[in-house]
């Protein structure tokens, strides 16, 4: 209990200090759902139906549920260690990261839903950002460390933030694992953080950029159906654009680091993935050009009602991923230009 309380408080104090304001109250419960199964994990829950439904949450601002633990971590030459999530800083910080996402970027637009009917389904950006926040707090890209020593660092399920993970590894779709896809985003964030510190800047400069980018991305109110808006919020490029707005001086470094992972402004996740697989390591477009376009537009997103920005849905197997009408196949996907409205 003490360990969970310490890391929860430390995480919240760090985040709120950089944001400059507190987040809504977070409840952390330990020893949850033991009557259903023995498990050794945790999750973040909001009151609501559907995917991830949980009868226990009573706090509409969000709760972290940690199990009482199950099994042991076995490391040759050492004693067995009980696998309790409250003892694992990565699990605690990761779940707090979901609380940060809920009250900044709000990927599921829960602020527009009734308090008792919020959505719990997590997307890759949510999982990846939570891993990135965990790495920031723990000061290491190998966030689970010895807790997952039996999983090779070359495997995505180790959840180590590594330059090897690019959009070529992205799967997407309803049957993909958002934790695995999120590792790509988290790794790109860690690369961007390292690139920023290589300039001599303090690491908190990137941490602030990420958090304020999350807030900027979450401030926009959808102009159409909430389901369409939620689908748009899953794209990595949308959050990169918001992060670039949060700190224009660091934007070139962040955009360049993201490009190394196959993440480019103005392109959907699925098109980025196809392009990365078709041309491994090949640039889609010059980051400087895309950044100049973004600066002129001063907008973190692409709007479907802008001139030259008409979008169409792909087939049912590619729902939520959009491209410019008449755009060529993935190997030559053009970077879409943000709307030149001149408005912030």
């Amino acid at each position: 209990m003490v360990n969970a309380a310490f890391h929860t408080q430390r995480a919240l104090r760090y985040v709120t200090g950089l944001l400059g304001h507190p987040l809504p109250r977070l409840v952390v419960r330990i020893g949850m759902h033991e009557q259903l199964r023995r498990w050794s994990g945790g999750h973040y829950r909001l009151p609501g139906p559907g995917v991830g439904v949980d009868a226990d949450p009573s706090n509409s601002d969000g709760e972290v549920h940690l199990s009482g633990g199950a099994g042991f971590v076995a490391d040759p030459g050492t004693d067995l260690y009980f696998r309790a999530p409250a003892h694992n800083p990565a699990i605690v910080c990761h779940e707090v990261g979901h609380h940060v996402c809920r009250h900044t970027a709000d990927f599921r637009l829960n602020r527009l839903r009734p308090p008792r009917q919020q959505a719990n389904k997590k997307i890759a950006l949510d999982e990846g950002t939570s891993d990135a926040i965990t790495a920031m707090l723990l000061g290491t890209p190998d966030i689970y460390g010895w807790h997952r020593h039996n999983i090779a660092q070359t495997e995505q399920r180790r959840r180590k933030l590594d330059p090897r993970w690019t959009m070529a590894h992205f799967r997407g779709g309803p049957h993909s694992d958002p934790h695995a896809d999120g590792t790509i985003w988290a790794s790109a964030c860690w690369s961007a953080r390292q690139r920023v510190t290589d300039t001599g800047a303090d690491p908190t400069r990137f941490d602030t950029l990420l958090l304020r980018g999350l807030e900027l991305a979450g401030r926009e109110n959808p102009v159409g159906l909430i389901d369409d808006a939620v689908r748009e919020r899953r794209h990595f490029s949308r959050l990169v654009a918001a992060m670039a707005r949060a700190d224009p001086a660091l934007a070139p470094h962040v955009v360049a680091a993201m490009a190394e992972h196959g993440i480019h402004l103005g392109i959907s996740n699925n098109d980025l993935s196809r392009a990365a697989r078709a041309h491994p390591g090949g640039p889609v477009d010059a980051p400087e050009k895309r950044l100049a376009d973004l600066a002129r537009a001063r907008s973190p997103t692409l709007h479907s009602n802008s001139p030259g920005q008409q979008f169409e849905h792909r087939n049912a197997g590619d729902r939520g991923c959009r491209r410019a009408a008449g755009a060529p196949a993935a190997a030559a996907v053009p970077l879409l230009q943000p709307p030149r409205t001149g408005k912030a």
Side-chain angles (χ1 to χ4, degrees):
M1 181 182 296
V2 173
N3 189 72
F6 170 80
H7 286 287
T8 299
Q9 289 284 357
R10 178 174 175 269
L12 291 174
R13 286 170 180 165
Y14 184 70
V15 169
T16 57
L18 295 182
L19 287 175
H21 62 79
L23 294 174
R25 183 176 69 104
L26 173 64
V27 174
V28 179
R29 303 182 188 274
I30 301 175
M32 299 296 292
H33 318 302
E34 298 299 301
Q35 72 280 9
L36 301 177
R37 68 188 189 282
R38 298 292 297 178
W39 64 307
S40 57
H43 56 220
Y44 179 74
R45 288 293 182 265
L46 298 156
V51 176
V53 64
D54 194 325
D56 292 315
S58 58
N59 178 30
S60 60
D61 289 328
E63 296 186 1
V64 169
H65 293 173
L66 302 174
S67 79
F72 294 87
V73 179
D75 194 2
T78 65
D79 294 332
L80 295 177
Y81 191 88
F82 185 59
R83 196 185 299 273
H87 295 181
N88 189 332
I91 292 179
V92 177
C93 293
H94 176 87
E95 301 308 332
V96 174
H98 284 311
H99 188 65
V100 175
C101 289
R102 160 63 185 90
H103 296 287
T104 53
D106 194 16
F107 297 116
R108 304 297 297 174
L109 281 172
N110 280 315
R111 60 186 170 82
L112 301 182
R113 306 175 192 267
R116 311 302 298 181
Q117 297 181 30
Q118 299 184 61
N120 278 290
K121 185 177 181 180
K122 304 297 189 297
I123 61 173
L125 265 181
D126 204 326
E127 297 293 353
T129 301
S130 296
D131 275 357
I133 290 173
T134 300
M136 286 157 41
L137 291 165
L138 300 182
T140 176
D142 192 14
I143 56 179
Y144 285 95
W146 62 270
H147 287 273
R148 294 192 177 183
H149 73 91
N150 60 321
I151 302 176
Q153 295 190 26
T154 54
E155 293 188 31
Q156 219 166 344
R157 61 194 181 97
R158 171 78 176 233
R159 304 259 291 278
K160 179 181 179 181
L161 283 52
D162 192 287
R164 78 178 71 236
W165 305 126
T166 71
M167 291 304 290
H169 300 93
F170 184 86
R171 293 296 175 262
H175 303 297
S176 65
D177 180 3
H179 297 88
D181 283 345
T183 300
I184 300 163
W185 171 252
S187 297
C189 285
W190 189 256
S191 295
R193 190 178 197 254
Q194 290 182 306
R195 188 177 286 251
V196 166
T197 58
D198 286 346
T199 69
D202 191 272
T204 58
R205 181 86 177 270
F206 173 82
D207 301 351
T208 303
L209 175 153
L210 173 60
L211 293 170
R212 292 183 176 170
L214 289 168
E215 279 200 319
L216 286 173
R219 286 176 183 171
E220 291 191 334
N221 289 316
V223 296
L225 297 175
I226 188 172
D227 288 345
D228 289 339
V230 167
R231 280 192 287 270
E232 290 298 326
R233 286 171 178 250
R234 72 179 60 175
H235 297 310
F236 294 174
S237 60
R238 180 179 182 275
L239 185 49
V240 175
M243 291 163 63
R245 284 186 63 205
D247 193 332
L250 291 182
H253 304 290
V254 172
V255 170
M258 292 288 173
E260 292 176 352
H261 291 263
I263 301 172
H264 302 270
L265 292 165
I267 306 180
S268 73
N269 290 345
N270 279 6
D271 278 344
L272 286 172
S273 178
R274 293 188 184 97
R277 291 173 188 170
H279 299 282
V284 178
D285 200 354
E288 295 81 4
K289 176 181 181 296
R290 293 301 298 129
L291 196 59
D293 292 334
L294 177 69
R296 284 194 296 270
R298 300 180 63 202
S299 173
T301 59
L302 299 174
H303 297 277
S304 59
N305 59 352
S306 301
Q309 293 288 316
Q310 299 306 312
F311 291 82
E312 63 180 13
H313 285 286
R314 291 184 183 272
N315 57 52
D318 195 18
R319 292 184 63 187
C321 290
R322 302 176 173 188
R323 61 180 172 87
V333 173
L335 284 159
L336 307 178
Q337 300 297 321
R340 306 182 189 281
T341 62
K343 297 179 181 179

